[in-house]
Amino acid sequence: MKNNEPLQNIKNKELTKRKLVQAVGEIIKTEGFVALKSASKVARIAGVDRKLIGRYFGGLNQLIEAYVVENDYWLLFTEKINDLIKSNNYPGSKDLITSILQNQFTYFFL
C-alpha cells in the first residue's frame, strides 16, 4: 500500500486545488468579487485547511488569479479579438468588444 501513497497524495492535491478554485468562483457568483477578502472564508467553503491556499497557490491573491486565468475565456481569445479588430471586416466589432470587456470588468469590480 505504501507504493500507492504518493499517487494518492497527488490526486488529493489536485482535488484540493480544484475545490479551492471552485470556492473562489462560488464566492464571486454569490457575493461578488469584493467578498474575497479572507483565505479562511475560501478554505471554509472548499472544506479544506486555509494553510493549503498558501502551500498550493502562494496566497489568496494567487488563488484568485488562478481562478481568473482558468475561467476568463477572454484571456484565451485575446489574439483572435485583436485580429478581428485589425481586420476591420466587421463594422462595429471594436465597439462590441470594448463593450463586452467593460461589462466584464464591471462584473468583477462590483
Side-chain angles (χ1 to χ4, degrees), residues 27-77:
I27 292 170
I28 289 172
K29 289 173 187 163
T30 58
E31 302 176 47
F33 188 78
V34 295
L36 288 171
K37 296 179 181 175
S38 165
S40 296
K41 181 178 188 174
V42 174
R44 184 176 64 251
I45 290 174
V48 302
D49 188 320
R50 74 177 176 85
K51 293 176 188 173
L52 295 175
I53 293 173
R55 183 178 299 154
Y56 294 154
F57 294 95
L60 181 58
N61 288 337
Q62 292 85 351
L63 170 57
I64 294 168
E65 182 179 335
Y67 169 82
V68 170
V69 168
E70 181 177 307
N71 292 284
D72 189 0
Y73 54 87
W74 292 112
L75 290 176
L76 300 174
F77 296 109

Side-chain angles (χ1 to χ4, degrees), residues 1-10:
M1 279 289 186
K2 289 198 177 211
N3 290 340
N4 291 334
E5 285 181 23
L7 181 60
Q8 186 64 28
N9 287 338
I10 291 171

Side-chain angles (χ1 to χ4, degrees), residues 20 23 26 29 47 51 58 67 76 83-84 90 93 101:
L20 287 165
E26 185 176 328
K29 289 173 187 163
K51 293 176 188 173
Y67 169 82
L76 300 174
D83 290 345
L84 179 65
Y90 304 98
S93 60
L101 293 174

